[in-house]
Amino acid sequence: MKRFRVRLVVAVWEKPAKFDYVRIVGVRSAVEDAQSFETAWLPHELPATAEYESGASVELHDYFAEENTLLRSLSFDLADPTDLGWLIGGRYKGDVSWDGSARVLTVATDAYTYAVALPDASSGKLEYYPRLVDFLSDTGAVDSPGNEGYWAVKLTAASDGPLPIALGFATSQEGADVAVRRATATARRGDWTILRAMQERSWTRYLQCQVPHPAVFDLVAAPAGCPREGCPEVTPDQVRDTYYKAWIFAAANVLPPMPEVDFPYPQLATGKPSMWAFGAPQASASATWESMLQIQFYGYADPAVAWNAFRGLMSLVDETGALAGEVLPTRAAQTAMVLYHLSGDQNRLRDIYPSLKRHLIWKKDNPRWIHGDHDNPHEKDAGFVVSVLIDMKYARDIADILEIDEDIEFWESQRREYFNEYLAWFWETPDSEPVEYYYTDTGARNRGGTLWITSGLHLDLWNDNSQRQLDGLKRRFTAEFKPQEPFGNFAYPKYSDISYTIYGLLDQGMHDEALQLANVAVRDTTRANMFAEVYFEWEFPEPRGVRPSFFGAGFAMDMVMMNNGYRMDQGWPHLVRFHSGEGGVSNLRLPGRTLNLRVEPESGTVRCGGSLVREIPDCREVAVAVGETVPLPLDCGSAAS
């Protein structure tokens, strides 16, 4: 008897799934299955090796030949020279056709077409099967394929070189012929190893030349041991791998302009492999939370693509200020400010400002999650309100850069009035602990999640009149925070909430807690071994929500750089002494120049170098105390002169 687990997956959050029929079938395969199958992941390819009982083995390499063409290279090691019969197959969904003389399979849908060009060593005859069971058992082949099923072709193996299988893709506007040409041209090239080497060099250049390089990857002030049996220790090498994987993940999330849906801008997808697609119809892969944050970081690697992705989202803001798709907290004004400082492009900042202003006013009037049939106009969410208040500060500063004097006053008055509403909504009394939800129709309040309100620590509007409310917010954080637990014992940890919370802890002089929370977040993202929207404690820690998602990558990027003396959230470079040890970041690229930092604990300074910084002592060496954040003086930047 064999025991196994069946997992039934609900693809949409808070939507029920109904399974009318589940069938488990054992199949005796008509072909020899691999005894072992090992896969690996590299930025430029997905290699794999299959080994068989006969002693034969196959080495596979999957990689992009170019933007619209994938290549699978097969290399055989035959223990028996007569063991030449192999089977290639796959699943299809769409209108399928087969050109036996050219050995090309074409599958067309309403939106796109793909063509599979098979090697000359394959048979000219292709078999169709309606079900996976039929395919595996080699029974029930049909002459006329339906719109969904499986295909198979026999292949004669050889040991004298790799055999290529090329997949070409084309939009419906481009047509099936374009997909076929892309596939056949790649399959006939013959220099497939050169194509793979080109992909490897491209990713190497990206990591070496476009990505910031921290000096230290040690965790600081976070319990390194495991509070539960079986969870892995986290080493500096693992943190380093996670950090660079995060930058690879961001680059891999770039989607090109899509004229087929009338959207001529690139996207930074929420998490391309997750297939998340609840954004605006023209940019459905872009969540206005994850994608905005990802645009900020990717601006360090490729500011032109980042700016265009942001301009694309802003182009979708309608006249009322709404942006279609799932409504999430705002990071739009912050994103605009970061991109401005990374590029120095005031023209683009001015171009998007009207859309940004409309959108932020709309967000102020609608501070709640809206998705599907969840849309309660009476609901106020503290996390949404805080995101608007912080973005209003960035909008005020953008108006200052653009010399729009009336808007400087407008944003300042708006955020002070809105802050008073924030206090009234989420504190029942000044001495209460704050809640996440307030309902204007009933006056009811709901406690909600702690991390979804602690972002309020990052507000710069606290004063003597609101000190009691601030104290209640600090009490709620402190009562729940346990750094030895997964993500500090907080439910639903997301990068967006934790990042503002960490910045806020620094603002409030709670340096030790900020340092611990940041390093705990890196520790547990590394342990989870997946970039996810959120993490649960079920299997210490369990990636949940949208996965993969940029939120998990954000932990690694932001907090590792903070450990090394750099804060990116303000746009203009800010230096931070997060702890008393060494650190540094090199290859920070701002307005086409470079900035290199080195934390020098003995002198209590951060030494700055690179082409951005002027050759004067006050710019080359900036005093920064532990727990302090200091902006690089604007007159130090060559671009600011």
Side-chain angles (χ1 to χ4, degrees):
M1 180 179 69
K2 291 186 177 180
R3 300 173 64 90
F4 56 90
R5 177 185 296 176
V6 176
R7 291 191 176 187
L8 305 179
V9 178
V10 180
V12 181
W13 185 257
E14 293 185 343
K15 294 291 183 181
K18 182 181 179 182
F19 297 88
D20 294 320
Y21 179 67
V22 176
R23 183 185 181 197
I24 299 172
V25 179
V27 179
R28 186 178 298 277
S29 178
V31 295
E32 181 185 347
D33 292 327
Q35 282 191 318
S36 66
F37 187 72
E38 295 184 359
T39 61
W41 174 89
L42 294 169
H44 62 285
E45 68 165 330
L46 300 176
T49 302
E51 296 184 348
Y52 295 82
E53 185 177 1
S54 63
S57 64
V58 184
E59 188 177 291
L60 304 89
H61 297 272
D62 293 351
Y63 51 94
F64 279 97
E66 49 88 23
E67 188 175 66
N68 297 294
T69 310
L70 282 168
L71 187 66
R72 168 168 287 183
S73 171
L74 303 172
S75 298
F76 295 89
D77 184 0
L78 303 176
D80 181 351
T82 64
D83 188 15
L84 303 177
W86 296 73
L87 194 68
I88 299 173
R91 185 181 180 184
Y92 70 87
K93 191 172 184 179
D95 296 327
V96 62
S97 61
W98 169 245
D99 183 340
S101 59
R103 293 177 173 81
V104 175
L105 175 77
T106 305
V107 180
T109 71
D110 292 339
Y112 63 90
T113 297
Y114 68 87
V116 183
L118 296 167
D120 292 340
S122 60
S123 166
K125 182 181 180 182
L126 183 140
E127 302 281 3
Y128 296 107
Y129 301 91
R131 300 177 305 167
L132 179 61
V133 170
D134 304 321
F135 169 77
L136 293 174
S137 61
D138 193 22
T139 59
V142 295
D143 295 329
S144 300
N147 289 329
E148 185 173 1
Y150 298 82
W151 60 269
V153 169
K154 291 181 179 178
L155 174 71
T156 301
S159 298
D160 57 353
L163 295 178
I165 302 174
L167 284 80
F169 295 84
T171 64
S172 57
Q173 289 88 342
E174 291 174 312
D177 289 344
V178 172
V180 171
R181 284 200 301 271
R182 286 170 175 160
T184 54
T186 299
R188 292 169 182 166
R189 284 184 59 133
D191 58 348
W192 306 295
T193 56
I194 294 176
L195 291 176
R196 193 169 83 225
M198 289 171 59
Q199 289 292 332
E200 184 175 7
R201 285 196 299 271
S202 176
W203 281 104
T204 299
R205 282 194 302 271
Y206 168 74
L207 289 174
Q208 289 179 341
C209 304
Q210 295 176 246
V211 168
H213 300 301
V216 177
F217 294 93
D218 297 81
L219 294 175
V220 184
C226 293
R228 287 172 175 76
E229 183 180 353
C231 76
E233 295 281 349
V234 176
T235 68
D237 284 345
Q238 290 172 325
V239 173
R240 179 184 182 276
D241 287 349
T242 302
Y243 173 83
Y244 284 109
K245 284 177 181 177
W247 284 98
I248 292 165
F249 179 69
N253 276 335
V254 175
L255 289 170
M258 295 184 177
E260 63 268 24
V261 293
D262 195 28
F263 192 67
Y265 300 95
Q267 294 181 63
L268 270 295
T270 303
K272 195 188 293 183
S274 73
M275 302 297 286
W276 189 93
F278 297 103
Q282 300 96 317
S284 60
S286 296
T288 56
W289 209 6
E290 289 95 322
S291 293
M292 290 281 189
L293 286 162
Q294 190 168 202
I295 285 169
Q296 293 179 28
F297 283 94
Y298 198 66
Y300 284 87
D302 193 332
V305 169
W307 253 123
N308 285 332
F310 181 61
R311 290 173 60 221
L313 290 176
M314 288 295 97
S315 76
L316 301 176
V317 174
D318 67 22
E319 289 304 311
T320 71
L323 178 56
E326 184 177 3
V327 175
L328 297 159
T330 178
R331 290 285 191 124
Q334 182 197 26
T335 301
M337 182 63 85
V338 169
L339 292 177
Y340 164 70
H341 282 299
L342 291 179
S343 65
D345 194 331
Q346 191 174 124
N347 290 331
R348 287 187 174 182
L349 189 67
R350 190 178 300 278
D351 181 56
I352 59 89
Y353 181 73
S355 297
L356 176 65
K357 182 177 179 180
R358 292 197 312 274
H359 185 53
L360 195 50
I361 292 171
W362 188 92
K363 288 282 194 178
K364 170 183 173 290
D365 296 334
N366 297 273
R368 66 190 187 277
W369 181 52
I370 302 174
H371 185 46
D373 56 5
H374 182 93
D375 183 9
N376 183 350
H378 304 291
E379 182 180 87
K380 309 295 182 185
D381 186 313
F384 281 73
V385 173
V386 167
S387 76
V388 170
L389 286 166
I390 295 174
D391 246 20
M392 282 180 174
K393 178 175 178 284
Y394 287 111
R396 180 202 65 191
D397 295 343
I398 289 170
D400 188 22
I401 292 168
L402 299 176
E403 299 180 343
I404 308 174
D405 293 342
E406 63 273 20
D407 277 10
I408 300 173
E409 298 176 6
F410 169 77
W411 289 121
E412 187 60 26
S413 63
Q414 284 283 304
R415 73 192 196 104
R416 292 191 180 280
E417 292 173 10
Y418 204 44
F419 180 68
N420 290 331
E421 290 187 287
Y422 166 70
L423 297 177
W425 287 337
F426 304 111
W427 278 262
E428 187 173 3
T429 71
D431 294 313
S432 303
E433 287 188 2
V435 299
E436 182 187 357
Y437 298 107
Y438 176 72
Y439 298 90
T440 57
D441 55 339
T442 64
R445 292 180 173 86
N446 186 300
R447 179 175 174 82
T450 296
L451 276 179
W452 294 345
I453 62 170
T454 52
S455 56
L457 293 167
H458 190 37
L459 295 172
D460 68 337
L461 295 161
W462 299 106
N463 56 35
D464 291 343
N465 294 328
S466 55
Q467 184 61 47
R468 290 153 68 189
Q469 288 96 329
L470 175 58
D471 289 342
L473 180 55
K474 292 178 181 178
R475 284 197 307 272
R476 183 161 176 184
F477 171 86
T478 303
E480 196 165 322
F481 182 43
K482 298 178 182 178
Q484 72 275 14
E485 294 294 327
F487 286 94
N489 195 45
F490 292 114
Y492 302 102
K494 297 184 180 182
Y495 165 71
S496 51
D497 302 311
I498 284 185
S499 60
Y500 270 171
T501 297
I502 290 169
Y503 309 151
L505 291 168
L506 289 173
D507 296 339
Q508 304 307 324
M510 302 172 69
H511 160 255
D512 291 342
E513 292 86 346
L515 177 62
Q516 284 184 314
L517 182 56
N519 281 269
V520 161
V522 175
R523 177 196 70 191
D524 292 329
T525 302
T526 303
R527 279 179 179 163
N529 199 30
M530 179 180 284
F531 300 135
E533 174 195 8
V534 69
Y535 296 86
F536 287 4
E537 193 178 338
W538 296 342
E539 295 181 19
F540 192 84
E542 174 84 0
R544 288 288 165 178
V546 179
R547 54 196 187 277
S549 159
F550 177 75
F551 276 170
F555 283 128
M557 291 174 165
D558 194 359
M559 307 316 165
V560 169
M561 284 201 287
M562 287 184 72
N563 264 350
N564 280 272
Y566 185 74
R567 273 182 66 172
M568 56 70 61
D569 57 291
Q570 301 295 311
W572 181 251
H574 279 59
L575 314 176
V576 59
R577 286 283 305 284
F578 219 15
H579 53 83
S580 60
E582 296 181 344
V585 184
S586 61
N587 201 43
L588 291 159
R589 306 192 312 157
L590 296 97
R593 296 170 173 84
T594 58
L595 174 64
N596 304 318
L597 311 175
R598 186 171 74 248
V599 178
E600 299 190 339
E602 292 184 2
S603 62
T605 62
V606 176
R607 182 169 290 276
C608 303
S611 59
L612 179 73
V613 183
R614 291 171 179 263
E615 292 283 354
I616 53 179
D618 289 345
C619 296
R620 288 289 181 175
E621 196 169 56
V622 181
V624 185
V626 173
E628 187 180 21
T629 298
V630 176
L632 183 71
L634 279 171
D635 58 1
C636 291
S638 300
S641 58

